[in-house]
Amino acid sequence: MLGSKAGTQILDGNHAAAVGAKLSRVQVIAAYPITPQSPVTEKLSEYVEGGNLKAEYVAVESEHSALAVCSSASLVGARTFTASSSHGLAYMHEMLHWVAGTRLPVILACVNRAIGAPWNVLNDQQDSISQRDTGWIQIYARTNQEILDSVIQAYKIAETVYVPVMVCYDGYILSHTEMPVDVPSPRDVDSFLPPYKPHTILDPANPRNYNLVTLANPRVNAEGVLCHGYMEIRYLLQEALQNAGETIASVGREFGGLFGRSYASMLWEYSLDDAEIVIVAMGSLAMEAIVAADTLRDEGHRVGVLGLRVFRPFPKSDVVTALKKARLVVVFDKNISYGSEGATCSEIKSALYGSGANAVIRNFVVGLGGRDIKARELAGAVNKSLPALKEGVLNDEYPEWICHI
Amino acid sequence: MPKVKERDKSCDHLFASGHTACPGCGQSMAVRLVLRAAGRNVIVVNSTGCLEIFSSKFGESSWEVPYIHSLFENIAAVASGVESVLRATGRLDEVRVIAMSGDGSAADIGFGAISGMMERGHDVLYVCYDNEAYMNTGIQRSGCTPYYARTTTSPPGKVSQGNPRPKKDLPQIILAHGVPYVATASVGYINDLDKKVKRALSIRGPKYIQVHVPCPLGWGSDSSRTIDIARLAVNSGLFPLYEVDSGELNVRKIPKKVPVEEYLQLQVRFRHLFGSDGAREEVEQIQRVADENIEKYGLMSK
């Protein structure tokens, strides 16, 4: 562990994200205000204005432009940061694809919020889940400490694998809730995260061109070198995400060695050793699930929790290992893939297929648009799923909704 | 190698030939002239559109300067990002940032971004190549399509005589942002264009030049007459050439006023106004636009 003592501060989630960006010495910030992300932008503006962060803050006219500014700033060689939520993230959709396709290590804090219609500013994870296939790494935080730590780690991950990283955290539940957070010293973060070394060059003395018209098939360039076609370039992005797990784990391990909080796994595990029932959840719900598991254990059930820290790349083999002994898996989703089921449930089922696992899987859609979801409701859903364990019906076609219909 | 040095001096080759623009493309000529005036010490950002498609095929790029293509609507934001890094790293004096787009990007889909860039005061020259429609996607109307032009989405027929709305006055809208330099130019007047690009790049802050560039394919004009047509647009008063340099208006005077018919009749996009059942009223309305420009900008010596 590093010598200088970390200082504990009481921070809300947005403040923790802003401190994470500041400690990462971002050079260009471009963001557009949206509830509940706005305090992140305000905090960063303050840092820049107060001379506490040597960066350009570009107060853009839209989220689309926020990510456009970050993309070109990253291309020219700066460490960049943006943040958004909900409709803002949806408005960025095109640029999300573009940034990942250009392989730029941009970091985005997504303050998870429901998406309309109907209008709603409260929490669920439909916004970031809807951006699942844009080629970004997605990390979900359970606490404000994890938000700060994940932003710092995100730069190291992104600048190693050249894939952008979205650090997601629940609106209001984390963004506007204060918690004690250990804030590392700038010197210690500097020793963990070296200055950004861009892999792109924009220099009139070496006039390179970026994002040209790329045809389907490989082509020979002017120098006679066979260059990738569109599909090969797409494959390389997939390959980068497939292999990113190793980097995410090693960066998390290194972070743990320096700061005493390890992120060596893409999953959070609680009481899984003897668990025959496993609750699966992502974000702050994974903390609530721990309370539910304890309650159920008091009732005599052997229950554990599997928290999904990284959703993309999805840690398939880790999930298989974690759920090997489970007889009942209850997956809670704060999102819905309409016409199918919760997105994380699909991933769990996909990971387990062919693994020899024989668990009953039940999916519950919960907490949409800020609908309160407490430990007792999670425990209730597990209890409701117990008969399925006796019946041995492994799969349900559609999820159950914990709502008044 | 003296030959290379000679070429360097002219900067003529910064936009290399061999691209796939149509014969007589006004835009490709204007791009070459803009880069010749700007020199090699630039970073060009280019929106999606004809220019990007015909000049930037992977492995066959025409750009001998640093070049970023991004999307259709975001090029002003992309330029803002480039400029922000140069500012953050103290390199603003070393390199000039030039954004290039067509009129559809600037006036329509990228309008929010360009307004944001101008209002925030980024040190960028934005060059809009105005060929008065979406040519890359097959000649659909844009906000810059003039009265009664035929496009594939403003076909003349029983209801209308082509595009029913006047051309959006983008240079004046940009000017309303209070930027230090706004100019119109034409590929028909290359010394004027050269001078304006050089002047713009000598000024710090946001600059805007809208260059009128005939499109033989979209306008239905003879590809050998691009320059003539560009000049007729200017000399009829339909595309006034002026600059507003720190609030001071300088115009390029028209030596002899040309009736709009002379300009319109060379283009298939206006042919429906001149058939046997000609559209006298519509042509008169176009003439009024030209006359109003002449009056407003004082294009004729009194």
Side-chain angles (χ1 to χ4, degrees):
Chain A
M1 284 203 34
L2 291 167
S4 52
K5 205 173 173 304
T8 301
Q9 296 180 25
I10 307 297
L11 303 179
D12 67 28
N14 283 332
H15 198 163
V19 171
K22 176 167 162 271
L23 287 169
S24 303
R25 299 197 189 278
V26 296
Q27 294 159 295
V28 172
I29 303 154
Y32 189 80
I34 184 170
T35 302
Q37 156 267 30
S38 307
V40 184
T41 64
E42 294 166 359
K43 216 31 116 182
L44 287 167
S45 303
E46 270 174 45
Y47 294 154
V48 173
E49 183 55 34
N52 301 313
L53 175 59
K54 199 173 169 298
E56 282 293 311
Y57 184 95
V58 188
V60 285
E61 78 295 337
S62 76
E63 285 91 354
H64 196 283
S65 285
L67 204 45
V69 165
C70 287
S71 77
S72 58
S74 181
L75 200 59
V76 180
R79 186 172 280 162
T80 63
F81 180 80
T82 187
S84 197
S85 293
S86 183
H87 292 266
L89 191 69
Y91 198 27
M92 283 179 176
H93 175 76
E94 187 187 26
M95 280 308 304
L96 291 171
H97 277 288
W98 198 261
V99 167
T102 315
R103 303 293 298 274
L104 297 172
V106 174
I107 304 305
L108 183 155
C110 172
V111 191
N112 286 120
R113 167 187 150 182
I115 197 153
W119 192 250
N120 183 295
V121 298
L122 303 175
N123 166 247
D124 65 39
Q125 294 168 348
Q126 192 73 34
D127 52 359
S128 53
I129 289 294
S130 298
Q131 306 305 334
R132 183 188 65 181
D133 298 333
T134 53
W136 284 58
I137 291 170
Q138 285 195 353
I139 295 173
Y140 288 77
R142 299 178 303 170
T143 64
N144 295 353
Q145 182 73 60
E146 288 178 22
I147 295 170
L148 186 149
D149 294 349
S150 299
V151 168
I152 296 168
Q153 289 172 61
Y155 282 101
K156 191 144 191 171
I157 295 163
E159 291 167 13
T160 304
V161 299
Y162 293 112
V163 175
V165 179
M166 200 180 287
V167 176
C168 308
Y169 56 94
D170 290 310
Y172 296 106
I173 297 169
L174 296 181
S175 71
H176 286 64
T177 305
E178 294 189 328
M179 300 175 188
V181 175
D182 276 348
V183 179
S185 74
R187 196 159 52 96
D188 288 352
V189 175
D190 287 346
S191 70
F192 171 76
L193 182 67
Y196 174 43
K197 284 204 195 92
H199 65 308
T200 45
I201 294 170
L202 274 138
D203 178 3
N206 181 6
R208 298 191 184 183
N209 296 179
Y210 291 94
N211 292 323
L212 306 185
V213 178
T214 307
L215 302 180
N217 291 326
R219 283 172 65 88
V220 175
N221 72 5
E223 281 82 44
V225 179
L226 188 66
C227 297
H228 293 315
Y230 178 85
M231 200 160 164
E232 285 73 25
I233 293 171
R234 294 293 80 172
Y235 171 76
L236 291 173
L237 178 57
Q238 161 70 1
E239 186 184 60
L241 273 129
Q242 281 177 198
N243 297 335
E246 286 170 29
T247 302
I248 295 168
S250 68
V251 167
R253 200 174 301 118
E254 186 193 347
F255 189 91
L258 291 172
F259 299 102
R261 295 180 295 277
S262 181
Y263 294 80
S265 171
M266 295 209 273
L267 303 169
W268 298 111
E269 299 185 8
Y270 178 77
S271 290
L272 284 188
D273 286 347
D274 66 337
E276 55 175 11
I277 301 170
V278 178
I279 300 173
V280 179
M282 193 160 73
S284 62
L285 197 60
M287 292 305 264
E288 198 70 18
I290 289 173
V291 182
D294 287 345
T295 310
L296 288 160
R297 277 195 180 257
D298 290 344
E299 292 169 12
H301 303 290
R302 296 216 300 270
V303 182
V305 177
L306 185 66
L308 301 173
R309 184 169 82 87
V310 181
F311 180 65
R312 278 292 178 276
F314 194 78
K316 292 187 187 213
S317 59
D318 296 348
V319 164
V320 168
T321 306
L323 296 179
K324 204 183 289 173
K325 285 183 270 177
R327 292 178 58 225
L328 171 65
V329 178
V330 184
V331 186
F332 293 96
D333 270 294
K334 277 189 179 178
N335 69 82
I336 174 69
S337 178
Y338 292 103
S340 182
E341 60 192 344
T344 67
C345 187
S346 294
E347 296 291 343
I348 298 286
K349 287 179 182 173
S350 161
L352 292 183
Y353 182 79
S355 71
N358 222 17
V360 170
I361 300 179
R362 286 296 176 271
N363 187 201
F364 290 87
V365 173
V366 298
L368 301 191
R371 179 69 59 89
D372 203 17
I373 178 82
K374 294 190 176 70
R376 67 167 179 274
E377 283 140 339
L378 297 176
V382 171
N383 274 321
K384 201 176 170 188
S385 306
L386 290 174
L389 191 54
K390 285 209 185 80
E391 292 153 15
V393 183
L394 297 188
N395 193 17
D396 243 359
E397 200 174 1
Y398 293 115
E400 253 192 71
W401 288 51
I402 299 189
C403 71
H404 296 294
I405 294 179
Chain B
M1 294 210 294
K3 210 173 169 186
V4 173
K5 267 189 188 163
E6 195 54 42
R7 285 183 61 185
D8 253 1
K9 208 172 146 191
S10 77
C11 285
D12 239 350
H13 62 295
L14 293 178
F15 186 70
S17 60
H19 53 70
T20 57
C22 305
C25 169
Q27 185 182 28
S28 65
M29 289 184 246
V31 172
R32 190 169 63 81
L33 295 167
V34 168
L35 275 189
R36 189 177 72 170
R40 60 169 64 252
N41 212 24
V42 296
I43 293 175
V44 170
V45 297
N46 179 204
S47 70
T48 306
C50 271
L51 173 59
E52 169 255 339
I53 295 291
F54 73 64
S55 70
S56 84
K57 191 151 71 180
F58 184 63
E60 298 170 20
S61 171
S62 286
W63 298 89
E64 298 197 21
V65 294
Y67 171 87
I68 308 172
H69 161 241
S70 189
L71 301 165
F72 197 6
E73 70 278 47
N74 68 351
I75 207 64
V78 171
S80 302
V82 173
E83 187 256 16
S84 297
V85 181
L86 297 178
R87 188 180 291 276
T89 53
R91 284 147 61 203
L92 214 47
D93 290 325
E94 293 170 21
V95 189
R96 289 279 171 270
V97 184
I98 305 181
M100 296 188 182
S101 82
D103 53 286
S105 173
D108 298 347
I109 195 168
F111 186 66
I114 193 172
S115 178
M117 187 198 96
M118 295 294 168
E119 170 271 315
R120 290 190 302 270
H122 292 281
D123 190 7
V124 173
L125 168 61
Y126 194 111
V127 181
C128 167
Y129 301 101
D130 179 11
N131 57 19
E132 305 191 325
Y134 293 96
M135 300 315 187
N136 181 45
T137 45
I139 316 154
Q140 293 84 22
R141 84 175 284 279
S142 79
C144 285
T145 302
Y147 265 136
Y148 307 120
R150 171 202 291 271
T151 71
T152 53
T153 52
S154 63
K158 286 180 185 154
V159 178
S160 78
Q161 289 284 358
N163 183 49
R165 300 290 305 154
K167 182 182 177 71
K168 187 189 279 193
D169 194 350
L170 196 54
Q172 290 297 319
I173 296 170
I174 302 296
L175 195 57
H177 290 74
V179 302
Y181 188 84
V182 169
T184 60
S186 166
V187 72
Y189 291 97
I190 61 176
N191 289 337
D192 181 72
L193 172 60
D194 186 81
K195 214 173 69 191
K196 284 170 175 168
V197 171
K198 284 176 176 155
R199 175 65 189 145
L201 288 173
S202 73
I203 297 167
R204 308 312 293 264
K207 288 85 60 174
Y208 178 80
I209 302 177
Q210 186 161 326
V211 191
H212 200 229
V213 288
C215 168
L217 184 76
W219 293 9
S221 57
D222 189 322
S223 59
S224 68
R225 302 207 57 187
T226 296
I227 300 299
D228 296 338
I229 290 170
R231 288 180 179 180
L232 287 169
V234 172
N235 290 323
S236 63
L238 283 174
F239 197 89
L241 294 190
Y242 63 86
E243 64 179 1
V244 182
D245 189 342
S246 300
E248 190 187 323
L249 173 71
N250 305 309
V251 302
R252 190 181 199 286
K253 298 271 188 190
I254 297 173
K256 183 171 174 287
K257 184 174 140 185
V258 175
V260 294
E261 285 94 334
E262 277 190 38
Y263 170 67
L264 303 176
Q265 280 174 333
L266 291 173
Q267 305 171 51
V268 172
R269 64 175 174 156
F270 294 112
R271 183 167 289 168
H272 56 282
L273 303 177
F274 298 100
S276 53
D277 52 346
R280 201 54 242 165
E281 261 180 46
E282 282 77 6
V283 174
E284 278 169 12
Q285 195 175 350
I286 294 170
Q287 184 64 59
R288 277 201 298 280
V289 171
D291 293 344
E292 281 165 19
N293 282 337
I294 289 167
E295 180 65 30
K296 179 176 174 186
Y297 293 104
L299 298 176
M300 302 284 292
S301 296
K302 287 184 178 159

